[in-house]
Amino acid sequence: MSYENIKTEIQEHVGIITLDRPEALNALCADLISELGNALDAFEANDDIGCIVLTGSEKAFAAGADIKEMEKKTFISAYMEDFITGDWEKVSNCRKPIIAAVAGFALGGGCELAMMCDFIIAADNAKFGQPEITLGTIPGAGGTQRLTRLVGKSKAMEMVLSGRMMDSEEAERSGLISRVVPLANLMEDAVKTAGLIASMSRPITYLAKDSVNQAYEVSLAAGIHYERRLFHSTFASYDQKEGMAAFIAKKRPNFKNR
Ligand code: DAK
């Protein structure tokens, strides 16, 4: 499928989606979000793909939702059309692991989009922020919730109330991102990490992702219980037998995704 606001590519077992609206610093207009949803659907349905990387340009992952598109909206129009809601959820509902490879600005909806991914690898020039307050609005795609869970109340509150940006070093220190890499290595590093994840057993990967995500939804006791049941269930798979037998035989496992 051809797109106007994104590019897609497949490298080995990694699906790469690149946000591509350079004239607007990848501002997330409705058409872009809809194309992103279609690309994710296609990658989810493609059995050759085991992990997805979502990235932008060197200057901007995404500078937020499109302010020019939002400016004239009324409460009734935003509410009745459920403004840019549907396809956004596809990122957080994606079953395949999805890595955000962030360089440059990740602001507003851009920061929220990155946080919807499973983890963020950032270039050393990345800047994260929730500047909606400076526009007379508040984060609308999870910024007040996900950022608070990731970096804690104090830092999240400061960022949301002041619009202050965080550089990649502070973002790593605060737990927003998994690690910082030099800008020149960002994609190589993200795709390599994605390739490693794609080489694991697919169903076991889904279970692991599902279990980590439970930590955000339920109490510790309920989360541990959930994890324990999923852990038990892995013993019903071929790939658990293969993985453990390969370890004992000092060989590489040949997972069959079953
Ligand atoms: N929207 C539209 N255009 C944007 C844009 C944006 N968010 N960000 C940048 N651009 C455009 C600029 O207007 C400019 O276009 P021209 O003037 O050349 O036509 C071009 O990109 C280059 O930008 P600048 O000239 O401003 O570049 P600088 O390097 O000087 O500054 C900047 C870079 C990132 C600091 C600055 O562009 C900036 O402050 N941008 C706005 C950042 C921002 O406030 N973002 C938050 C937007 S509100 C929801 C989902 C999502 C959301 C809400 C709900 N639901 C699912 C319900 C999200 C809301 C938001 O993100």
Side-chain angles (χ1 to χ4, degrees):
M1 196 185 284
S2 77
Y3 299 108
E4 287 181 6
N5 301 285
I6 63 170
K7 286 184 189 149
T8 62
E9 185 192 341
I10 298 171
Q11 279 184 30
E12 307 260 329
H13 299 290
V14 178
I16 303 169
I17 302 174
T18 305
L19 307 178
D20 187 33
R21 269 192 91 200
E23 71 286 358
L25 300 182
N26 293 334
L28 304 163
C29 61
D31 285 348
L32 183 153
I33 292 296
S34 159
E35 290 181 6
L36 175 60
N38 289 338
L40 284 172
D41 284 345
F43 281 175
E44 284 266 63
N46 185 337
D47 284 342
D48 278 345
I49 294 176
C51 190
I52 298 167
V53 174
L54 177 62
T55 193
S57 70
E58 291 194 351
K59 179 152 191 217
F61 177 73
D66 193 315
I67 299 167
K68 293 165 191 166
E69 206 175 70
M70 280 187 293
E71 184 204 356
K72 295 279 188 299
K73 288 212 177 290
T74 63
F75 163 71
I76 292 297
S77 67
Y79 180 64
M80 293 311 286
E81 74 193 45
D82 211 5
F83 173 52
I84 55 173
T85 295
D87 283 315
W88 279 83
E89 300 305 327
K90 287 199 176 157
V91 183
S92 35
N93 291 338
C94 186
R95 295 187 79 199
K96 291 184 179 172
I98 173 163
I99 303 172
V102 173
F105 296 108
L107 303 178
C111 186
E112 291 167 313
L113 185 62
M115 290 190 290
M116 284 177 198
C117 297
D118 294 313
F119 60 93
I120 302 171
I121 299 177
D124 47 16
N125 75 338
K127 290 215 180 302
F128 298 87
Q130 298 291 163
E132 289 87 343
I133 198 88
T134 67
L135 302 170
T137 185
I138 71 168
T144 64
Q145 305 303 302
R146 289 196 178 92
L147 187 65
T148 307
R149 282 166 163 82
L150 288 166
V151 307
K153 179 182 168 188
S154 190
K155 217 171 254 293
M157 198 64 99
E158 187 201 342
M159 288 175 73
V160 168
L161 295 182
S162 72
R164 178 175 80 80
M165 291 185 215
M166 208 188 245
D167 65 19
S168 50
E169 195 191 303
E170 184 181 3
E172 183 180 29
R173 203 168 60 233
S174 315
L176 174 58
I177 64 175
S178 68
R179 61 198 155 85
V180 188
V181 297
L183 175 60
N185 300 354
L186 177 67
M187 280 314 283
E188 189 188 335
D189 217 294
V191 171
K192 192 167 157 207
T193 304
L196 180 64
I197 293 170
S199 75
M200 307 297 171
S201 163
R202 194 80 45 83
I204 305 299
T205 304
Y206 283 23
L207 289 173
K209 170 169 169 163
D210 193 8
S211 195
V212 172
N213 280 333
Q214 277 295 305
Y216 280 90
E217 307 294 343
V218 301
S219 70
L220 179 61
I224 298 278
H225 183 75
Y226 189 79
E227 178 195 82
R228 192 64 37 83
R229 291 292 172 261
L230 294 189
F231 167 72
H232 290 156
S233 76
T234 63
F235 289 86
S237 70
Y238 169 91
D239 285 340
Q240 173 270 327
K241 300 286 172 288
E242 169 65 15
M244 294 194 183
F247 173 83
I248 292 163
K250 300 190 187 302
K251 291 194 305 198
R252 284 167 65 87
N254 180 15
F255 293 127
K256 297 265 200 290
N257 298 330
R258 55 186 165 86

